Amino acid sequence: MNTQNIPQNWQQTLPAEWTIKNAREDGREEEIPLREHPTLKNYTSKDEAVKALVHAQRLLGKTPEGYIRVPEGQGDDEQRNTLYSALGRPDHPEGYTLPDIDLPDGYEMQEDMINGFKNAAFRLGLTAEQVAGLYQWFLPLVIDTHHTMQAETNQLRERELESLRAVHRGRTPHMLDSALRAAEALGGKELIHALDSTRAGDHAAVINAFAKVAPLVLESGMRSPGQGWGEELSREKLREMMQDPRYHDPNKRDPEYVKTVRKGFETLYPGDYIPGSRL
């Protein structure tokens, strides 16, 4: 029997024109003859290779044991929850344990914010380790940012106050009181809250503006309803006002002036008041 024409291996029996793409070591693909593909060297015969191919075809479309398919879209919540649980997400948001972090004096974490953080992490499928790490990184960052903003606010307030002192000198406290009472008279607590929350009330230009209009809106410095009277309202001041003819002289009595004096008594002595009984 002549063995010179028998191929050395069964791969050589495959037609040379059968080609297939193969990845090289540098990652690029090249077209090579199928019979030279390195995978075929794992099989000792053509029959063994064909059996392996048939077996692989039978496995297509089946889910291997322990395999979890990644859900597509937003519809399959059950499959997504299964995946998140397999990755390490707790069974419920309360299952997250946050690390203890020393907070500066005056700081505390609100329960609603903590619960919101855990609920958001649960919806995103984060693991317990991921949530703990994120919290440990984010919270100190928030505190540092708040410290920086507070320091900048204090510096602004002090800088603006110094500019007021340079102009008004010893009358600065009186000017500040007048500006506060004017703001209360014009807009009440809502305006004061707006000035505080926006930090507009820290600016010297805003304070000066309210101080300038104070004489026009405070009716001789006593218009503010029960707030902001400051140093101008006292028992001695009210006694002095009662000596004015507009108050005690029936022929010169001014109802608006009398009303102002009554408001002063109501401010100093809240509750039932009988004019003249407390001086």
Side-chain angles (χ1 to χ4, degrees):
M1 180 177 179
N2 186 4
T3 60
Q4 294 181 352
N5 295 327
I6 299 177
Q8 296 298 317
N9 53 58
W10 68 268
Q11 294 98 319
Q12 297 303 314
T13 65
L14 299 176
E17 61 270 18
W18 289 6
T19 61
I20 190 172
K21 289 185 177 181
N22 182 53
R24 303 193 318 182
E25 292 183 357
D26 59 5
R28 292 187 298 175
E29 288 187 338
E30 62 178 352
E31 196 86 11
I32 64 172
L34 177 61
R35 61 189 182 185
E36 295 180 6
H37 198 282
T39 302
L40 296 181
K41 296 179 179 180
N42 297 326
Y43 306 101
T44 59
S45 67
K46 185 185 298 185
D47 292 343
E48 185 178 339
V50 171
K51 290 180 181 179
L53 173 62
V54 173
H55 180 69
Q57 290 290 331
R58 291 177 57 193
L59 293 178
L60 290 177
K62 293 185 177 180
T63 301
E65 184 178 356
Y67 173 84
I68 300 177
R69 189 179 302 277
V70 177
E72 299 180 1
Q74 300 296 325
D76 198 345
D77 292 337
E78 182 177 354
Q79 193 174 30
R80 181 172 289 101
N81 288 333
T82 301
L83 173 63
Y84 288 160
S85 296
L87 293 175
R89 187 187 73 170
D91 295 333
H92 46 76
E94 293 75 15
Y96 289 116
T97 301
L98 301 181
D100 292 330
I101 298 178
D102 292 333
L103 299 178
D105 293 339
Y107 284 82
E108 62 177 345
M109 296 300 297
Q110 298 180 358
E111 185 176 356
D112 290 343
M113 187 175 71
I114 292 295
N115 291 336
F117 177 78
K118 291 182 177 181
N119 288 331
F122 187 80
R123 289 194 303 270
L124 294 172
L126 301 185
T127 67
E129 291 77 10
Q130 289 171 334
V131 170
L134 184 62
Y135 180 82
Q136 199 165 14
W137 167 80
F138 185 68
L139 184 58
L141 181 63
V142 172
I143 294 175
D144 290 343
T145 301
H146 179 76
H147 277 318
T148 300
M149 294 177 61
Q150 189 64 43
E152 292 175 351
T153 298
N154 293 338
Q155 291 174 2
L156 170 64
R157 183 184 296 113
E158 187 61 28
R159 185 168 60 249
E160 295 294 293
L161 185 58
E162 283 298 324
S163 67
L164 291 173
R165 293 192 184 109
V167 175
H168 300 282
R169 299 185 182 279
R171 287 186 54 79
T172 300
H174 173 76
M175 185 274 300
L176 293 173
D177 183 70
S178 297
L180 173 62
R181 291 188 288 116
E184 288 178 331
L186 289 171
K189 294 181 179 179
E190 292 79 6
L191 178 57
I192 298 299
H193 175 72
L195 292 173
D196 289 341
S197 60
T198 62
R199 304 299 183 187
D202 292 338
H203 292 271
V206 176
I207 297 173
N208 274 323
F210 280 111
K212 288 180 180 179
V213 301
L216 302 177
V217 299
L218 295 181
E219 294 181 1
S220 300
M222 299 192 69
R223 177 177 174 181
S224 180
Q227 296 290 337
W229 287 75
E231 60 187 17
E232 293 189 9
L233 181 62
S234 65
R235 180 181 300 184
E236 289 71 24
K237 177 66 176 180
L238 292 175
R239 282 175 175 172
E240 178 182 348
M241 294 180 69
M242 291 178 66
Q243 301 304 315
D244 194 294
R246 290 175 295 175
Y247 181 86
H248 71 82
D249 190 338
N251 296 323
K252 299 180 180 181
R253 193 175 184 87
D254 182 352
E256 289 298 323
Y257 188 84
V258 173
K259 183 179 179 181
T260 298
V261 176
R262 289 179 179 272
K263 285 185 178 180
F265 282 111
E266 292 171 359
T267 301
L268 282 180
Y269 308 102
D272 296 333
Y273 162 68
I274 300 176
S277 64
R278 297 188 180 181
L279 290 182

